[in-house]
Amino acid sequence: MNRRQFLGLAPVLFAGCSRPVPPAPRADRIAREKHLAMLDAYRVPAGSMRTTPKPDVDPLARFPELKPLARITVRLHPRFGDEPRTDESKLGGAFHWPVAEPWPQCPEHRLPMVAVLQVRTDDLPPQFPMRPKTDLFQLFWSPRATKAGPPHVVGVWRARDGDEPIANPEIPESADLGYVPVACRIFPERSTELPPLELMPESMRRTVAESQDLELPARGVKFGGWPRVPDRAPKCATCVHPMDYLLSVDSCEWTAVDATRWKPMEDADVEGYRRAAGFDFGAPGAAIQVHVCRRCEAWPLRAAVVS
Ligand SMILES: [Zn+2]
């Protein structure tokens, strides 16, 4: 029997076989298993620090007129290690969730959303606006990309009260693991940053553009400050007013191009530190930027994928 004849018979042969054919392993599962096996060599203990190196050129020294545009961001530096408690700041893992509240659901996929980022007020930029009487921010998103591209995002602002917390739901089988972070501790570091050129007033843009050696907003997972990639002034879906930049979840903390600027001094240039959470948003170096509307009662969020 030649190969073609055999293949012609194959359905008949296999039809008689009662053993189910196992599904092909999914690329996201294979990538996650490899990532987890590698991560163990890059555990970072609680109490460690991460320090961004000083820039070769301080943009505020060169252009003091930019000072009014400076904002404090907190670079969160997620790193793998023992999972923090459910009420601590963390990326991924189990979140503080009271028993009486329904878990956020993705409106498109009808699946439980993924717990992405939980930050306590003391790890946020100073005087960061929170909803009244809250001290914990939680970010959730869809377990995979949506028809329109970026995942749906939900922000929860809560107080860490005495509520009995419950176990978080399982990650759905159909989740794209590129959107599900490996549980990481965060190592917050405050840093001053300036807007990307496109968000600067016209009068300053040209002068600053001539200094090509300036890195203005930071890369990596960060809270507050400026978006690294200018968004087309996202508008609130409810009230249509422009939204405020809130945070970025970056799939990597530095790249080959910008490692000298954004790789913390304590880290070797390895995947285990550069992209500890194991995110994959479909393009190398892609990040999800989140904006908030503080005019609407619910403080709705909006996400965009940028690279
Ligand atoms: Zn609004």
Side-chain angles (χ1 to χ4, degrees), residues 172-291:
E173 187 59 34
S174 58
D176 176 347
L177 293 184
Y179 286 83
V180 181
V182 173
C184 286
R185 185 177 292 279
I186 65 162
F187 297 89
E189 176 200 23
R190 288 180 186 181
S191 167
T192 303
E193 59 181 10
L194 289 163
L197 278 181
E198 297 82 345
L199 299 183
M200 280 189 189
E202 197 91 33
S203 56
M204 298 180 186
R205 212 177 290 166
R206 187 175 304 174
T207 333
V208 180
E210 284 165 7
S211 289
Q212 290 179 354
D213 49 352
L214 296 184
E215 293 271 4
L216 303 163
R219 191 180 256 287
V221 182
K222 62 177 185 176
F223 210 108
W226 289 97
R228 182 172 56 83
V229 180
D231 254 330
R232 306 171 307 278
K235 298 232 167 71
C236 173
T238 311
C239 72
V240 203
H241 278 96
M243 302 176 89
D244 299 323
Y245 171 69
L246 184 67
L247 63 94
S248 298
V249 178
D250 216 322
S251 58
C252 66
E253 196 165 308
W254 64 86
T255 64
V257 179
D258 57 25
T260 50
R261 180 68 189 98
W262 301 124
K263 183 181 74 61
M265 296 193 284
E266 294 84 354
D267 287 328
D269 190 359
V270 291
E271 289 280 290
Y273 299 139
R274 199 171 70 89
R275 43 181 306 273
F279 283 124
D280 179 358
F281 303 137
I288 294 182
Q289 291 182 172
V290 178
H291 284 69

